[in-house]
Amino acid sequence: MGFQPVVLWTDLLLFGLIACVLLAAWSARRSEPMREAWRRVGESGMGMASITVLAMFLLVGVLDSLHYRARLAPAGGAGDKVQLSTEVRSALDALAEPLRSRVEKTYSAPLAYQLFARQTVEGPDGTQRREFPRLKFGGGSLKYPEEDRTGDILGRIGIGLAGAAVGWLLLAGALVLGVARSRRVPAGAAWRAIWRGKGGLAWRWALATLGAVALVAGPLAALATEYHVFGTDKVGQDVLFLTLKSIRTALVIGTLTTLVTLPLAVALGIMAGYLGGWVDDAIQYLYTVLNSIPGVLLIAAAVLMMQVVIDTHPQWFETAAERADARLLALCVILGMTSWTGLCRLLRGETLKLRELEYVQAARAFGVSTARILTRHILPNLMHLVLIALVMDFSGLVLAEAVLSYVGIGVDPNTVSFGTMINAARMELAREPMVWWSLVAAFVFMFVLVLAANLFADVVRDAFDPRRS
């Protein structure tokens, strides 16, 4: 069978952004102030805990960004041309194949073995009765689910906890060996240093966070092999799988938007603050006009216009995934075009102060070019503000996608996101009995992601604060 790799635009940009972050981290090692600031981030327990949680989400997002199309077997002889499947899958789909493929008929509650609603079933004698039919996959191996389900669930939770403990011990051992090798001390001494919080970075907080994640992920993985842990949606899809797929959308919205925001905000903010005059007036007029337009209306108009372009050019896209990816990329661009004004205003005000400092005035007196002053003296002294603003804006962009998708102007309906899950749950909450698990699953995962991002932003803000002694 085989497969052919597929690189979507958002995949390319996401991996490019990760590469740029790694390159920036490598170059920051030559700057003593940057090393000191990031060392303070690593020494913060809350910083290491939030970094660990964000790394887990990033791992899921990267796996879901490795796309491919399966090669189909030739319909005729060996000489027939190999065809590709129209469905674009990812590495996460392959790893979570049981979750993806086990589709029920309709709603089922978390850890249930029956459908959520009664249905008319015809008996062997031709009579019809209303009952809760058994699920095809949820608890399918249980012969007597009424008696065996509780024991089976508890046993799987125990297996999951045991597997989580083994995985945590392996990770802790690898960390101890790494610290021991870097500090050239015995493994026992490295473990004691980590446990006492003297291992350099706050590794014990990272291990504690990994342990907490393992205690949750282990039982979930063990239960997911037999049950729908978070239930199923209206068309019978596993809600846990949909929630995992939503992580990539949130990460793409929160990170790729910076590719549009950063150049506009930095370039225009520095130019307005340093050059002044009519340049400053024009840039201030531009972002004042943008701020005067309600953001939701501006985004809605831009998204609808982009959707018209996509609908009128179907030949641009071979698969539905490429079409949905185009709208996701367009949403990132639109959000970036409408969210750069705050950072631009902040950088303008800071540049107005920097241009009056003695070393900048001396550089101008010696005839140093404007471009060199901006790149060598102004921009480096603004990077801490840029970094803090971008980290703090991440959670806002994730929430913005959820709100926009909720009102129907966000991502493509074929793209799974927290916003589309919440939008679908809006009608489910009006059912009787109420279907609540889709909303709760999306809310919990989005809450953890946004909370980790906000905590990390607070630590970065404190570490890069120039007033810190």
Side-chain angles (χ1 to χ4, degrees), residues 83-102:
Q83 299 293 326
L84 295 176
S85 172
T86 58
E87 182 181 11
V88 178
R89 299 182 182 179
S90 67
L92 180 65
D93 296 335
L95 293 175
E97 180 63 24
L99 297 179
R100 191 189 71 87
S101 59
R102 294 186 308 172

Side-chain angles (χ1 to χ4, degrees), residues 79 140 259 272 282 374 455:
L259 294 178
L374 293 179
L455 293 176

